Amino acid sequence: EMWWSADLDPSAAVKKEKIGDPFGVIMWPGSILASKELVQHRDQIANSTVLVLGAGTGVEAQCAALLGASKVIAIDISKLTLKLLRFGAEQAGVGDVVEPMQFDLFSKESLPACDIMVAADVLYNAELAHQIGKRVVEVQRRDCPPAILITDS
C-alpha cells in the first residue's frame, strides 16, 4: 500500500523512486502455484524452451530449469530483479540454463520464441493485465504456438 500511494500525497517524505519497485524482488504466491503446475507437467518441460514473463525472483525459471528445460528465458524490466534472478539461478546450479533478459512488455519488440510461456503474478493492474493479454494473442498467432500458463494471487 505504501508503494501505491507514495506519490499521491505531495507532502509525503517517501517517494516511489526512494522505495523502488517491490514487485520483482518478492516471491509472490502465484509464482509458487506456477511452479507446482510446471511440476505437474514435467514431461512437457523437459528439453523445451520456457519463457517467463515478469520473471521477478526467478522461482518459475529455476523450477523449469530443474525440471529439465533446455533453455529458460526469464524476462523482466528491472535490472535489479534480473541481477537477483541470475544470482539465484547460479546458486541453484541452473545458471547455464536460465537466461535473464531485460525486456519491456510494452515495447514493440516481439517476445522470444518458446515452447511454454509462463506469466505468474503479473496481472496486478488493469494496464499490465491488458498488455499480458496482447502478448498471449501475439504468441498464439505463431505457426507453432506455445503452451501458456498464467497464475495470479
Side-chain angles (χ1 to χ4, degrees):
E1 185 176 330
M2 184 170 109
W3 190 85
W4 285 110
S5 62
D7 289 335
L8 297 178
D9 181 358
S11 65
V14 179
K15 300 293 183 191
K16 282 184 183 175
E17 61 269 8
K18 297 212 184 217
I19 300 170
D21 176 3
F23 302 105
V25 296
I26 296 171
M27 183 172 45
W28 295 93
S31 65
I32 302 298
L33 179 59
S35 296
K36 288 179 178 181
E37 286 296 315
L38 291 173
V39 169
Q40 293 296 317
H41 301 282
R42 71 182 72 216
D43 56 319
Q44 294 177 0
I45 307 302
N47 301 312
S48 68
T49 297
V50 178
L51 174 65
V52 182
L53 308 184
T57 59
V59 174
E60 316 92 296
Q62 287 182 34
C63 180
L66 290 167
L67 290 171
S70 56
K71 182 178 185 179
V72 179
I73 306 165
I75 64 173
D76 205 288
I77 195 168
S78 168
K79 289 180 184 179
L80 171 61
T81 295
L82 293 170
K83 284 180 185 179
L84 294 170
L85 188 147
R86 181 181 308 279
F87 177 78
E90 289 169 357
Q91 292 300 303
V94 293
D96 58 331
V97 177
V98 177
E99 178 185 318
M101 176 190 292
Q102 188 171 21
F103 190 95
D104 182 352
L105 290 169
F106 289 88
S107 73
K108 301 276 188 218
E109 191 175 348
S110 296
L111 288 173
C114 63
D115 302 305
I116 300 165
M117 185 173 83
V118 179
D121 273 326
V122 291
L123 307 176
Y124 47 83
N125 67 41
E127 183 181 25
L128 185 54
H130 182 75
Q131 189 63 22
I132 294 294
K134 286 182 174 181
R135 292 303 189 155
V136 167
V137 170
E138 171 192 331
V139 298
Q140 285 298 294
R141 289 185 173 158
R142 293 180 177 171
D143 290 338
C144 188
I148 296 175
L149 171 60
I150 299 174
T151 63
D152 197 45
S153 59

